[in-house]
């Protein structure tokens, strides 16, 4: 004996609608929370403060250009997954510059959490070297900053690809 199918009542339809929209809203809320947590969408912590320093950055870039320094950087990937960064600094006359403090950063264009600092020490007259351990392959922004007497006198940003 076959039993008759149960009729579709208003209560069943209501429960199905609530369950459907509950699942959709739950998934949307979870995805929005994960998206905001993984990439907040900001390039700087405070855009207002960055705007205030904009004129100083332009002036610093003009001063750097007027110095006409020749600063060459070379990054070489090692077999152990790390990398060696070497910076060679020469003044406008081509003479090596000593006594500067250089620092390097490898910044991931897509994820600031993967950024790595590279401390450079003077290995010779005008030659600064540093090592970074376990760098993932791919695109990086190599940022080099030079300081003299506590003031930044050089800034360079270049895209590099490490295999």
């Amino acid at each position: 004996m076959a039993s008759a199918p149960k009729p579709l009542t208003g209560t069943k339809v209501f429960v199905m609608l609530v369950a459907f929209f509950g699942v959709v809203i739950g998934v949307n809320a979870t995805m929005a929370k994960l998206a905001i947590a993984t990439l907040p969408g900001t390039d700087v912590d405070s855009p207002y403060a960055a705007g205030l320093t904009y004129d100083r950055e332009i002036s610093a870039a003009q001063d750097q250009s007027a110095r006409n320094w020749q600063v060459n950087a070379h990054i070489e990937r090692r077999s152990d997954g790390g990398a060696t960064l070497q910076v060679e600094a020469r003044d406008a006359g081509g003479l090596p510059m000593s006594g500067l403090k250089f620092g390097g950063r490898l910044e991931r264009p897509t994820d600031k959490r993967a950024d790595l600092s590279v401390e450079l020490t003077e290995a010779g007259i005008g030659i600064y070297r540093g090592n970074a351990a376990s760098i993932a392959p791919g695109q990086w922004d190599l940022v080099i900053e030079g300081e003299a007497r506590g003031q930044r006198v050089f800034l360079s940003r270049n895209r590099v690809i490490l295999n």
Side-chain angles (χ1 to χ4, degrees):
M1 247 181 163
S3 65
K6 295 185 179 180
L8 185 61
T9 62
T11 305
K12 284 185 183 178
V13 171
F14 177 72
V15 168
M16 286 190 285
L17 279 173
V18 168
F20 172 77
F21 284 110
V23 169
V24 169
I25 291 169
V27 168
N28 284 341
T30 302
M31 297 299 273
K33 182 176 186 254
L34 290 173
I36 290 169
T38 57
L39 189 61
T42 58
D43 207 21
V44 293
D45 292 333
S46 172
Y48 177 72
L52 292 177
T53 62
Y54 187 70
D55 288 337
R56 283 186 293 213
E57 291 294 323
I58 290 173
S59 177
Q62 290 170 342
D63 292 346
Q64 176 178 323
S65 180
R67 283 188 209 89
N68 202 21
W69 288 357
Q70 301 157 13
V71 178
N72 296 314
H74 178 74
I75 188 164
E76 186 173 319
R77 188 141 167 99
R78 298 188 311 258
S79 60
D80 66 356
T84 300
L85 174 61
Q86 177 174 308
V87 174
E88 183 179 351
R90 296 184 177 273
D91 64 11
L95 299 173
M97 292 189 305
S98 183
L100 297 172
K101 182 180 177 189
F102 275 96
R105 273 190 328 272
L106 287 164
E107 298 178 349
R108 209 43 137 166
T110 56
D111 188 2
K112 287 179 125 353
R113 294 172 296 178
D115 294 356
L116 299 169
S117 290
V118 181
E119 190 169 329
L120 301 174
T121 56
E122 194 164 0
I125 299 174
I127 297 175
Y128 303 84
R129 251 189 224 122
N131 293 311
S134 66
I135 297 176
Q139 286 191 7
W140 293 87
D141 286 336
L142 175 59
V143 180
I144 299 169
E145 291 186 80
E147 289 184 3
R149 296 176 299 282
Q151 183 179 0
R152 188 182 81 199
V153 292
F154 182 81
L155 175 66
S156 171
R157 179 182 296 270
N158 296 289
R159 180 75 43 103
V160 295
I161 298 175
L162 299 175
N163 293 325

